[in-house]
Amino acid sequence: MKSYNIHFIRHGAIADTLNGVYIGTTDVSLSDEGKRQLKLLDHNMDYPYAKVVFTSPLKRCKETCKIIYSHIEPIVINELIECNFGEWEGKSADELSSDPDFSKWLAGDPEIKPPKGESNDDFTRRICLVFENIVNGLIKTGTTDCTIVTHGGIIMTLLAVYGLPQAKPFDWACDNGYGYSLRVTPMLWQRDKVAEVHKLIPSKREDDDE
């Protein structure tokens, strides 16, 4: 039976993330260092083949696509945007440490949300719906290889929900420019809504061992 490969890649680095503040829906570009690191990864390692590339609408993801998959025009999906941190946007964990709701939200309370932001529950529902639509679309069209360029929080959450082996969200954390490959088997997907996480990407080039 045909299987489907879905590759998750976290966007390159932005200056604000390096400063330790929460950046969700703020539309900032990759930093110069982030661009340099991505180009270096693309030159020295292998990103997987993709027939189609889906991306978050934010600049840092679209710019990542241009560096890694310059030959493919990505399909922008608005629902792949990062979590809306509301009034916590642009603040660090230290600045928010005295807020009891922040501690509950950080611990994964599904109902707590940042002021004027998005709860963990709403965030999870949103990204699960779009991911299931992507998978079902791939199966319907017979498209066996795609890449999703998005945000760290989305990757961690989706793999915690659908990935095998089962693991907690932070177990799926990855650095900028890195990610994971999933193998979707239609029968297993239709029965249990799970997919095998089988590879960390980008991968080392085989000729590097020679």
Side-chain angles (χ1 to χ4, degrees):
M1 178 178 289
K2 182 185 293 185
S3 61
Y4 297 81
N5 297 302
I6 301 177
H7 313 290
F8 280 106
I9 297 175
R10 185 186 177 192
H11 63 76
I14 59 175
D16 289 320
T17 298
L18 297 177
N19 293 332
V21 299
Y22 283 95
I23 298 296
T25 57
T26 301
D27 199 7
V28 294
S29 294
L30 297 176
S31 65
D32 289 341
E33 177 62 15
K35 293 176 183 177
R36 188 193 70 81
Q37 290 173 350
L38 275 179
K39 290 175 182 176
L40 196 61
L41 280 174
D42 189 41
H43 182 266
N44 293 330
M45 301 182 77
D46 283 330
Y47 282 99
Y49 165 80
K51 180 72 174 177
V52 62
V53 175
F54 301 104
T55 182
S56 157
L58 298 184
K59 292 176 184 176
R60 54 192 184 267
C61 291
K62 293 191 287 186
E63 291 169 356
T64 297
C65 291
K66 288 182 180 179
I67 293 173
I68 300 174
Y69 293 100
S70 59
H71 60 295
I72 299 176
E73 183 67 28
I75 297 171
V76 176
I77 298 181
N78 290 333
E79 290 79 9
L80 289 174
I81 198 168
E82 179 61 289
C83 182
N84 182 354
F85 297 126
E87 293 181 2
W88 295 347
E89 187 89 7
K91 296 181 179 179
S92 68
D94 287 342
E95 292 176 290
L96 296 167
S97 59
S98 61
D99 187 332
D101 280 346
F102 175 71
S103 299
K104 294 177 184 177
W105 175 83
L106 202 61
D109 189 316
E111 297 181 358
I112 296 295
K113 67 178 181 178
K116 299 180 181 179
E118 188 174 26
S119 71
N120 287 320
D121 211 17
D122 289 341
F123 172 69
T124 300
R125 275 198 299 267
R126 166 169 65 84
I127 63 173
C128 284
L129 177 61
V130 71
F131 180 65
E132 291 186 13
N133 286 340
I134 288 173
V135 173
N136 293 335
L138 294 175
I139 295 172
K140 184 177 180 179
T141 60
T143 305
T144 55
D145 296 272
C146 86
T147 291
I148 299 174
V149 178
T150 187
H151 307 272
I154 289 179
I155 296 172
M156 291 191 297
T157 302
L158 288 179
L159 295 192
V161 173
Y162 299 103
L164 294 176
Q166 292 182 331
K168 295 180 180 179
F170 283 101
D171 292 328
W172 296 115
C174 57
D175 292 332
N176 295 105
Y178 286 84
Y180 298 92
S181 290
L182 283 73
R183 182 181 294 113
V184 177
T185 304
M187 184 177 296
L188 187 61
W189 175 257
Q190 291 166 8
R191 188 186 69 194
D192 298 323
K193 288 289 192 299
V194 292
E196 176 194 4
V197 184
H198 67 93
K199 190 176 184 180
L200 178 68
I201 54 175
S203 56
K204 187 177 179 180
R205 290 182 175 166
E206 292 181 4
D207 56 8
D208 289 345
D209 295 327
E210 297 178 358

PDB file of all heavy atoms in Angstrom, residues 67-102:
ATOM      1  N   ILE A  67      14.756  29.700   0.855  1.00  0.00           N
ATOM      2  CA  ILE A  67      16.142  29.245   0.979  1.00  0.00           C
ATOM      3  C   ILE A  67      16.242  27.739   0.738  1.00  0.00           C
ATOM      4  O   ILE A  67      17.118  27.274   0.002  1.00  0.00           O
ATOM      5  CB  ILE A  67      16.701  29.617   2.367  1.00  0.00           C
ATOM      6  CG1 ILE A  67      16.830  31.144   2.480  1.00  0.00           C
ATOM      7  CG2 ILE A  67      18.058  28.944   2.609  1.00  0.00           C
ATOM      8  CD1 ILE A  67      17.212  31.639   3.864  1.00  0.00           C
ATOM      9  N   ILE A  68      15.355  26.978   1.330  1.00  0.00           N
ATOM     10  CA  ILE A  68      15.460  25.514   1.268  1.00  0.00           C
ATOM     11  C   ILE A  68      14.804  24.931   0.021  1.00  0.00           C
ATOM     12  O   ILE A  68      15.319  23.990  -0.585  1.00  0.00           O
ATOM     13  CB  ILE A  68      14.838  24.883   2.536  1.00  0.00           C
ATOM     14  CG1 ILE A  68      15.573  25.365   3.785  1.00  0.00           C
ATOM     15  CG2 ILE A  68      14.888  23.357   2.454  1.00  0.00           C
ATOM     16  CD1 ILE A  68      14.944  24.898   5.085  1.00  0.00           C
ATOM     17  N   TYR A  69      13.651  25.490  -0.353  1.00  0.00           N
ATOM     18  CA  TYR A  69      12.901  24.975  -1.508  1.00  0.00           C
ATOM     19  C   TYR A  69      12.677  26.109  -2.510  1.00  0.00           C
ATOM     20  O   TYR A  69      11.541  26.449  -2.841  1.00  0.00           O
ATOM     21  CB  TYR A  69      11.567  24.377  -1.057  1.00  0.00           C
ATOM     22  CG  TYR A  69      11.709  23.130  -0.225  1.00  0.00           C
ATOM     23  CD1 TYR A  69      11.615  23.173   1.157  1.00  0.00           C
ATOM     24  CD2 TYR A  69      11.955  21.895  -0.825  1.00  0.00           C
ATOM     25  CE1 TYR A  69      11.759  22.019   1.929  1.00  0.00           C
ATOM     26  CE2 TYR A  69      12.093  20.739  -0.067  1.00  0.00           C
ATOM     27  CZ  TYR A  69      12.001  20.810   1.311  1.00  0.00           C
ATOM     28  OH  TYR A  69      12.137  19.666   2.076  1.00  0.00           O
ATOM     29  N   SER A  70      13.759  26.685  -2.987  1.00  0.00           N
ATOM     30  CA  SER A  70      13.675  27.857  -3.857  1.00  0.00           C
ATOM     31  C   SER A  70      12.976  27.560  -5.182  1.00  0.00           C
ATOM     32  O   SER A  70      12.457  28.464  -5.829  1.00  0.00           O
ATOM     33  CB  SER A  70      15.081  28.406  -4.128  1.00  0.00           C
ATOM     34  OG  SER A  70      15.894  27.413  -4.737  1.00  0.00           O
ATOM     35  N   HIS A  71      12.946  26.293  -5.584  1.00  0.00           N
ATOM     36  CA  HIS A  71      12.355  25.907  -6.865  1.00  0.00           C
ATOM     37  C   HIS A  71      10.855  25.627  -6.774  1.00  0.00           C
ATOM     38  O   HIS A  71      10.219  25.337  -7.785  1.00  0.00           O
ATOM     39  CB  HIS A  71      13.056  24.657  -7.400  1.00  0.00           C
ATOM     40  CG  HIS A  71      12.952  23.462  -6.494  1.00  0.00           C
ATOM     41  ND1 HIS A  71      13.539  23.439  -5.246  1.00  0.00           N
ATOM     42  CD2 HIS A  71      12.311  22.272  -6.640  1.00  0.00           C
ATOM     43  CE1 HIS A  71      13.277  22.274  -4.672  1.00  0.00           C
ATOM     44  NE2 HIS A  71      12.520  21.564  -5.495  1.00  0.00           N
ATOM     45  N   ILE A  72      10.292  25.721  -5.563  1.00  0.00           N
ATOM     46  CA  ILE A  72       8.867  25.409  -5.376  1.00  0.00           C
ATOM     47  C   ILE A  72       8.143  26.634  -4.823  1.00  0.00           C
ATOM     48  O   ILE A  72       8.604  27.248  -3.850  1.00  0.00           O
ATOM     49  CB  ILE A  72       8.674  24.223  -4.405  1.00  0.00           C
ATOM     50  CG1 ILE A  72       9.356  22.957  -4.966  1.00  0.00           C
ATOM     51  CG2 ILE A  72       7.194  23.961  -4.151  1.00  0.00           C
ATOM     52  CD1 ILE A  72       9.290  21.774  -4.026  1.00  0.00           C
ATOM     53  N   GLU A  73       7.032  26.986  -5.434  1.00  0.00           N
ATOM     54  CA  GLU A  73       6.192  28.063  -4.902  1.00  0.00           C
ATOM     55  C   GLU A  73       5.335  27.474  -3.773  1.00  0.00           C
ATOM     56  O   GLU A  73       4.479  26.622  -4.015  1.00  0.00           O
ATOM     57  CB  GLU A  73       5.298  28.623  -5.994  1.00  0.00           C
ATOM     58  CG  GLU A  73       4.445  29.801  -5.549  1.00  0.00           C
ATOM     59  CD  GLU A  73       5.258  31.045  -5.211  1.00  0.00           C
ATOM     60  OE1 GLU A  73       6.356  31.217  -5.790  1.00  0.00           O
ATOM     61  OE2 GLU A  73       4.788  31.839  -4.371  1.00  0.00           O
ATOM     62  N   PRO A  74       5.563  27.918  -2.535  1.00  0.00           N
ATOM     63  CA  PRO A  74       4.830  27.303  -1.424  1.00  0.00           C
ATOM     64  C   PRO A  74       3.358  27.694  -1.402  1.00  0.00           C
ATOM     65  O   PRO A  74       2.978  28.772  -1.875  1.00  0.00           O
ATOM     66  CB  PRO A  74       5.560  27.848  -0.190  1.00  0.00           C
ATOM     67  CG  PRO A  74       6.120  29.156  -0.630  1.00  0.00           C
ATOM     68  CD  PRO A  74       6.491  28.967  -2.084  1.00  0.00           C
ATOM     69  N   ILE A  75       2.556  26.814  -0.850  1.00  0.00           N
ATOM     70  CA  ILE A  75       1.134  27.082  -0.644  1.00  0.00           C
ATOM     71  C   ILE A  75       0.962  27.604   0.779  1.00  0.00           C
ATOM     72  O   ILE A  75       1.296  26.919   1.751  1.00  0.00           O
ATOM     73  CB  ILE A  75       0.301  25.807  -0.848  1.00  0.00           C
ATOM     74  CG1 ILE A  75       0.435  25.314  -2.295  1.00  0.00           C
ATOM     75  CG2 ILE A  75      -1.172  26.061  -0.497  1.00  0.00           C
ATOM     76  CD1 ILE A  75      -0.180  23.950  -2.535  1.00  0.00           C
ATOM     77  N   VAL A  76       0.487  28.829   0.905  1.00  0.00           N
ATOM     78  CA  VAL A  76       0.320  29.455   2.216  1.00  0.00           C
ATOM     79  C   VAL A  76      -0.997  29.001   2.846  1.00  0.00           C
ATOM     80  O   VAL A  76      -2.057  29.092   2.226  1.00  0.00           O
ATOM     81  CB  VAL A  76       0.346  30.987   2.095  1.00  0.00           C
ATOM     82  CG1 VAL A  76       0.076  31.638   3.444  1.00  0.00           C
ATOM     83  CG2 VAL A  76       1.693  31.453   1.539  1.00  0.00           C
ATOM     84  N   ILE A  77      -0.903  28.503   4.072  1.00  0.00           N
ATOM     85  CA  ILE A  77      -2.095  28.092   4.823  1.00  0.00           C
ATOM     86  C   ILE A  77      -2.138  28.913   6.111  1.00  0.00           C
ATOM     87  O   ILE A  77      -1.275  28.771   6.989  1.00  0.00           O
ATOM     88  CB  ILE A  77      -2.064  26.586   5.143  1.00  0.00           C
ATOM     89  CG1 ILE A  77      -2.059  25.772   3.843  1.00  0.00           C
ATOM     90  CG2 ILE A  77      -3.262  26.200   6.006  1.00  0.00           C
ATOM     91  CD1 ILE A  77      -2.057  24.271   4.046  1.00  0.00           C
ATOM     92  N   ASN A  78      -3.124  29.773   6.221  1.00  0.00           N
ATOM     93  CA  ASN A  78      -3.199  30.706   7.345  1.00  0.00           C
ATOM     94  C   ASN A  78      -3.270  30.001   8.695  1.00  0.00           C
ATOM     95  O   ASN A  78      -2.765  30.508   9.708  1.00  0.00           O
ATOM     96  CB  ASN A  78      -4.399  31.638   7.176  1.00  0.00           C
ATOM     97  CG  ASN A  78      -4.212  32.625   6.036  1.00  0.00           C
ATOM     98  OD1 ASN A  78      -3.080  32.980   5.697  1.00  0.00           O
ATOM     99  ND2 ASN A  78      -5.302  33.055   5.432  1.00  0.00           N
ATOM    100  N   GLU A  79      -3.884  28.822   8.721  1.00  0.00           N
ATOM    101  CA  GLU A  79      -4.051  28.100   9.994  1.00  0.00           C
ATOM    102  C   GLU A  79      -2.743  27.499  10.518  1.00  0.00           C
ATOM    103  O   GLU A  79      -2.700  26.991  11.638  1.00  0.00           O
ATOM    104  CB  GLU A  79      -5.092  26.997   9.834  1.00  0.00           C
ATOM    105  CG  GLU A  79      -6.517  27.500   9.674  1.00  0.00           C
ATOM    106  CD  GLU A  79      -6.811  27.977   8.258  1.00  0.00           C
ATOM    107  OE1 GLU A  79      -5.966  27.761   7.357  1.00  0.00           O
ATOM    108  OE2 GLU A  79      -7.874  28.578   8.048  1.00  0.00           O
ATOM    109  N   LEU A  80      -1.674  27.563   9.719  1.00  0.00           N
ATOM    110  CA  LEU A  80      -0.366  27.085  10.186  1.00  0.00           C
ATOM    111  C   LEU A  80       0.413  28.162  10.935  1.00  0.00           C
ATOM    112  O   LEU A  80       1.580  27.980  11.265  1.00  0.00           O
ATOM    113  CB  LEU A  80       0.477  26.587   8.995  1.00  0.00           C
ATOM    114  CG  LEU A  80       0.030  25.274   8.353  1.00  0.00           C
ATOM    115  CD1 LEU A  80       0.854  24.984   7.101  1.00  0.00           C
ATOM    116  CD2 LEU A  80       0.161  24.116   9.342  1.00  0.00           C
ATOM    117  N   ILE A  81      -0.240  29.279  11.222  1.00  0.00           N
ATOM    118  CA  ILE A  81       0.403  30.356  11.963  1.00  0.00           C
ATOM    119  C   ILE A  81       0.665  29.915  13.406  1.00  0.00           C
ATOM    120  O   ILE A  81      -0.031  29.051  13.949  1.00  0.00           O
ATOM    121  CB  ILE A  81      -0.491  31.619  11.921  1.00  0.00           C
ATOM    122  CG1 ILE A  81       0.315  32.868  12.277  1.00  0.00           C
ATOM    123  CG2 ILE A  81      -1.702  31.464  12.828  1.00  0.00           C
ATOM    124  CD1 ILE A  81      -0.450  34.155  11.975  1.00  0.00           C
ATOM    125  N   GLU A  82       1.668  30.517  14.018  1.00  0.00           N
ATOM    126  CA  GLU A  82       2.020  30.186  15.402  1.00  0.00           C
ATOM    127  C   GLU A  82       0.906  30.597  16.362  1.00  0.00           C
ATOM    128  O   GLU A  82      -0.012  31.354  16.006  1.00  0.00           O
ATOM    129  CB  GLU A  82       3.345  30.888  15.763  1.00  0.00           C
ATOM    130  CG  GLU A  82       3.862  30.675  17.182  1.00  0.00           C
ATOM    131  CD  GLU A  82       4.151  29.210  17.506  1.00  0.00           C
ATOM    132  OE1 GLU A  82       3.175  28.437  17.647  1.00  0.00           O
ATOM    133  OE2 GLU A  82       5.335  28.857  17.667  1.00  0.00           O
ATOM    134  N   CYS A  83       0.986  30.118  17.589  1.00  0.00           N
ATOM    135  CA  CYS A  83       0.017  30.461  18.631  1.00  0.00           C
ATOM    136  C   CYS A  83      -0.034  31.977  18.843  1.00  0.00           C
ATOM    137  O   CYS A  83       0.990  32.663  18.798  1.00  0.00           O
ATOM    138  CB  CYS A  83       0.400  29.763  19.940  1.00  0.00           C
ATOM    139  SG  CYS A  83      -0.735  30.051  21.304  1.00  0.00           S
ATOM    140  N   ASN A  84      -1.225  32.483  19.075  1.00  0.00           N
ATOM    141  CA  ASN A  84      -1.408  33.899  19.379  1.00  0.00           C
ATOM    142  C   ASN A  84      -1.189  34.098  20.880  1.00  0.00           C
ATOM    143  O   ASN A  84      -2.014  33.701  21.688  1.00  0.00           O
ATOM    144  CB  ASN A  84      -2.817  34.335  18.966  1.00  0.00           C
ATOM    145  CG  ASN A  84      -3.059  35.809  19.204  1.00  0.00           C
ATOM    146  OD1 ASN A  84      -2.230  36.512  19.784  1.00  0.00           O
ATOM    147  ND2 ASN A  84      -4.206  36.289  18.752  1.00  0.00           N
ATOM    148  N   PHE A  85      -0.069  34.732  21.229  1.00  0.00           N
ATOM    149  CA  PHE A  85       0.270  34.934  22.639  1.00  0.00           C
ATOM    150  C   PHE A  85      -0.372  36.177  23.232  1.00  0.00           C
ATOM    151  O   PHE A  85      -0.144  36.492  24.403  1.00  0.00           O
ATOM    152  CB  PHE A  85       1.790  35.014  22.804  1.00  0.00           C
ATOM    153  CG  PHE A  85       2.511  33.755  22.410  1.00  0.00           C
ATOM    154  CD1 PHE A  85       3.544  33.794  21.486  1.00  0.00           C
ATOM    155  CD2 PHE A  85       2.164  32.538  22.953  1.00  0.00           C
ATOM    156  CE1 PHE A  85       4.217  32.647  21.117  1.00  0.00           C
ATOM    157  CE2 PHE A  85       2.824  31.373  22.593  1.00  0.00           C
ATOM    158  CZ  PHE A  85       3.853  31.428  21.665  1.00  0.00           C
ATOM    159  N   GLY A  86      -1.177  36.891  22.461  1.00  0.00           N
ATOM    160  CA  GLY A  86      -1.900  38.042  22.986  1.00  0.00           C
ATOM    161  C   GLY A  86      -0.984  39.053  23.656  1.00  0.00           C
ATOM    162  O   GLY A  86       0.029  39.466  23.090  1.00  0.00           O
ATOM    163  N   GLU A  87      -1.354  39.441  24.883  1.00  0.00           N
ATOM    164  CA  GLU A  87      -0.582  40.450  25.608  1.00  0.00           C
ATOM    165  C   GLU A  87       0.747  39.914  26.142  1.00  0.00           C
ATOM    166  O   GLU A  87       1.556  40.685  26.653  1.00  0.00           O
ATOM    167  CB  GLU A  87      -1.426  41.027  26.749  1.00  0.00           C
ATOM    168  CG  GLU A  87      -2.615  41.846  26.259  1.00  0.00           C
ATOM    169  CD  GLU A  87      -3.426  42.445  27.390  1.00  0.00           C
ATOM    170  OE1 GLU A  87      -3.056  42.258  28.577  1.00  0.00           O
ATOM    171  OE2 GLU A  87      -4.447  43.110  27.096  1.00  0.00           O
ATOM    172  N   TRP A  88       0.966  38.604  26.008  1.00  0.00           N
ATOM    173  CA  TRP A  88       2.268  38.047  26.406  1.00  0.00           C
ATOM    174  C   TRP A  88       3.290  38.120  25.271  1.00  0.00           C
ATOM    175  O   TRP A  88       4.457  37.819  25.458  1.00  0.00           O
ATOM    176  CB  TRP A  88       2.102  36.591  26.835  1.00  0.00           C
ATOM    177  CG  TRP A  88       1.270  36.437  28.075  1.00  0.00           C
ATOM    178  CD1 TRP A  88       0.896  37.419  28.947  1.00  0.00           C
ATOM    179  CD2 TRP A  88       0.691  35.231  28.575  1.00  0.00           C
ATOM    180  NE1 TRP A  88       0.131  36.903  29.961  1.00  0.00           N
ATOM    181  CE2 TRP A  88      -0.014  35.551  29.757  1.00  0.00           C
ATOM    182  CE3 TRP A  88       0.699  33.912  28.140  1.00  0.00           C
ATOM    183  CZ2 TRP A  88      -0.697  34.611  30.507  1.00  0.00           C
ATOM    184  CZ3 TRP A  88       0.013  32.960  28.882  1.00  0.00           C
ATOM    185  CH2 TRP A  88      -0.674  33.301  30.055  1.00  0.00           C
ATOM    186  N   GLU A  89       2.822  38.500  24.107  1.00  0.00           N
ATOM    187  CA  GLU A  89       3.694  38.629  22.944  1.00  0.00           C
ATOM    188  C   GLU A  89       4.823  39.624  23.228  1.00  0.00           C
ATOM    189  O   GLU A  89       4.609  40.723  23.757  1.00  0.00           O
ATOM    190  CB  GLU A  89       2.876  39.117  21.741  1.00  0.00           C
ATOM    191  CG  GLU A  89       3.617  39.128  20.434  1.00  0.00           C
ATOM    192  CD  GLU A  89       3.512  37.812  19.679  1.00  0.00           C
ATOM    193  OE1 GLU A  89       2.751  36.930  20.118  1.00  0.00           O
ATOM    194  OE2 GLU A  89       4.201  37.671  18.668  1.00  0.00           O
ATOM    195  N   GLY A  90       6.043  39.224  22.900  1.00  0.00           N
ATOM    196  CA  GLY A  90       7.196  40.104  23.066  1.00  0.00           C
ATOM    197  C   GLY A  90       7.751  40.151  24.477  1.00  0.00           C
ATOM    198  O   GLY A  90       8.681  40.912  24.752  1.00  0.00           O
ATOM    199  N   LYS A  91       7.197  39.323  25.369  1.00  0.00           N
ATOM    200  CA  LYS A  91       7.682  39.289  26.749  1.00  0.00           C
ATOM    201  C   LYS A  91       8.397  37.972  27.018  1.00  0.00           C
ATOM    202  O   LYS A  91       8.123  36.964  26.383  1.00  0.00           O
ATOM    203  CB  LYS A  91       6.527  39.471  27.735  1.00  0.00           C
ATOM    204  CG  LYS A  91       5.842  40.826  27.618  1.00  0.00           C
ATOM    205  CD  LYS A  91       4.712  40.961  28.632  1.00  0.00           C
ATOM    206  CE  LYS A  91       4.044  42.327  28.513  1.00  0.00           C
ATOM    207  NZ  LYS A  91       2.921  42.477  29.479  1.00  0.00           N
ATOM    208  N   SER A  92       9.294  37.986  27.986  1.00  0.00           N
ATOM    209  CA  SER A  92      10.045  36.785  28.345  1.00  0.00           C
ATOM    210  C   SER A  92       9.351  36.044  29.473  1.00  0.00           C
ATOM    211  O   SER A  92       8.461  36.584  30.151  1.00  0.00           O
ATOM    212  CB  SER A  92      11.465  37.160  28.779  1.00  0.00           C
ATOM    213  OG  SER A  92      11.436  37.872  30.010  1.00  0.00           O
ATOM    214  N   ALA A  93       9.775  34.805  29.698  1.00  0.00           N
ATOM    215  CA  ALA A  93       9.211  34.013  30.798  1.00  0.00           C
ATOM    216  C   ALA A  93       9.486  34.682  32.143  1.00  0.00           C
ATOM    217  O   ALA A  93       8.649  34.627  33.049  1.00  0.00           O
ATOM    218  CB  ALA A  93       9.792  32.601  30.770  1.00  0.00           C
ATOM    219  N   ASP A  94      10.644  35.321  32.272  1.00  0.00           N
ATOM    220  CA  ASP A  94      10.964  36.020  33.526  1.00  0.00           C
ATOM    221  C   ASP A  94       9.988  37.167  33.773  1.00  0.00           C
ATOM    222  O   ASP A  94       9.545  37.385  34.908  1.00  0.00           O
ATOM    223  CB  ASP A  94      12.394  36.564  33.480  1.00  0.00           C
ATOM    224  CG  ASP A  94      13.432  35.462  33.604  1.00  0.00           C
ATOM    225  OD1 ASP A  94      13.077  34.360  34.063  1.00  0.00           O
ATOM    226  OD2 ASP A  94      14.596  35.704  33.232  1.00  0.00           O
ATOM    227  N   GLU A  95       9.643  37.880  32.725  1.00  0.00           N
ATOM    228  CA  GLU A  95       8.713  39.002  32.870  1.00  0.00           C
ATOM    229  C   GLU A  95       7.313  38.528  33.235  1.00  0.00           C
ATOM    230  O   GLU A  95       6.543  39.260  33.867  1.00  0.00           O
ATOM    231  CB  GLU A  95       8.658  39.819  31.577  1.00  0.00           C
ATOM    232  CG  GLU A  95       9.930  40.568  31.247  1.00  0.00           C
ATOM    233  CD  GLU A  95       9.837  41.275  29.898  1.00  0.00           C
ATOM    234  OE1 GLU A  95       9.824  40.577  28.860  1.00  0.00           O
ATOM    235  OE2 GLU A  95       9.774  42.512  29.889  1.00  0.00           O
ATOM    236  N   LEU A  96       6.973  37.311  32.849  1.00  0.00           N
ATOM    237  CA  LEU A  96       5.624  36.783  33.069  1.00  0.00           C
ATOM    238  C   LEU A  96       5.531  35.864  34.280  1.00  0.00           C
ATOM    239  O   LEU A  96       4.455  35.348  34.590  1.00  0.00           O
ATOM    240  CB  LEU A  96       5.176  36.004  31.825  1.00  0.00           C
ATOM    241  CG  LEU A  96       5.016  36.835  30.544  1.00  0.00           C
ATOM    242  CD1 LEU A  96       4.886  35.914  29.336  1.00  0.00           C
ATOM    243  CD2 LEU A  96       3.809  37.758  30.646  1.00  0.00           C
ATOM    244  N   SER A  97       6.643  35.655  34.957  1.00  0.00           N
ATOM    245  CA  SER A  97       6.707  34.648  36.031  1.00  0.00           C
ATOM    246  C   SER A  97       5.752  34.940  37.186  1.00  0.00           C
ATOM    247  O   SER A  97       5.322  34.022  37.888  1.00  0.00           O
ATOM    248  CB  SER A  97       8.131  34.531  36.564  1.00  0.00           C
ATOM    249  OG  SER A  97       8.589  35.778  37.079  1.00  0.00           O
ATOM    250  N   SER A  98       5.378  36.199  37.401  1.00  0.00           N
ATOM    251  CA  SER A  98       4.482  36.536  38.513  1.00  0.00           C
ATOM    252  C   SER A  98       3.010  36.392  38.143  1.00  0.00           C
ATOM    253  O   SER A  98       2.135  36.535  38.999  1.00  0.00           O
ATOM    254  CB  SER A  98       4.751  37.975  38.978  1.00  0.00           C
ATOM    255  OG  SER A  98       4.510  38.895  37.927  1.00  0.00           O
ATOM    256  N   ASP A  99       2.733  36.086  36.883  1.00  0.00           N
ATOM    257  CA  ASP A  99       1.354  35.926  36.430  1.00  0.00           C
ATOM    258  C   ASP A  99       0.924  34.472  36.643  1.00  0.00           C
ATOM    259  O   ASP A  99       1.460  33.567  36.005  1.00  0.00           O
ATOM    260  CB  ASP A  99       1.264  36.291  34.937  1.00  0.00           C
ATOM    261  CG  ASP A  99      -0.169  36.312  34.413  1.00  0.00           C
ATOM    262  OD1 ASP A  99      -1.011  35.572  34.963  1.00  0.00           O
ATOM    263  OD2 ASP A  99      -0.435  37.039  33.447  1.00  0.00           O
ATOM    264  N   PRO A 100      -0.051  34.213  37.547  1.00  0.00           N
ATOM    265  CA  PRO A 100      -0.452  32.826  37.822  1.00  0.00           C
ATOM    266  C   PRO A 100      -1.021  32.117  36.597  1.00  0.00           C
ATOM    267  O   PRO A 100      -0.864  30.906  36.440  1.00  0.00           O
ATOM    268  CB  PRO A 100      -1.512  32.967  38.921  1.00  0.00           C
ATOM    269  CG  PRO A 100      -1.980  34.383  38.824  1.00  0.00           C
ATOM    270  CD  PRO A 100      -0.816  35.180  38.347  1.00  0.00           C
ATOM    271  N   ASP A 101      -1.693  32.853  35.724  1.00  0.00           N
ATOM    272  CA  ASP A 101      -2.228  32.243  34.511  1.00  0.00           C
ATOM    273  C   ASP A 101      -1.102  31.777  33.591  1.00  0.00           C
ATOM    274  O   ASP A 101      -1.248  30.759  32.891  1.00  0.00           O
ATOM    275  CB  ASP A 101      -3.125  33.231  33.759  1.00  0.00           C
ATOM    276  CG  ASP A 101      -4.507  33.324  34.360  1.00  0.00           C
ATOM    277  OD1 ASP A 101      -4.856  32.442  35.175  1.00  0.00           O
ATOM    278  OD2 ASP A 101      -5.240  34.271  34.035  1.00  0.00           O
ATOM    279  N   PHE A 102      -0.003  32.500  33.570  1.00  0.00           N
ATOM    280  CA  PHE A 102       1.124  32.101  32.728  1.00  0.00           C
ATOM    281  C   PHE A 102       1.683  30.755  33.178  1.00  0.00           C
ATOM    282  O   PHE A 102       1.969  29.885  32.357  1.00  0.00           O
ATOM    283  CB  PHE A 102       2.231  33.161  32.759  1.00  0.00           C
ATOM    284  CG  PHE A 102       3.467  32.761  32.003  1.00  0.00           C
ATOM    285  CD1 PHE A 102       3.474  32.697  30.615  1.00  0.00           C
ATOM    286  CD2 PHE A 102       4.633  32.428  32.692  1.00  0.00           C
ATOM    287  CE1 PHE A 102       4.611  32.310  29.916  1.00  0.00           C
ATOM    288  CE2 PHE A 102       5.775  32.046  32.001  1.00  0.00           C
ATOM    289  CZ  PHE A 102       5.772  31.988  30.610  1.00  0.00           C
TER     290      PHE A 102
END
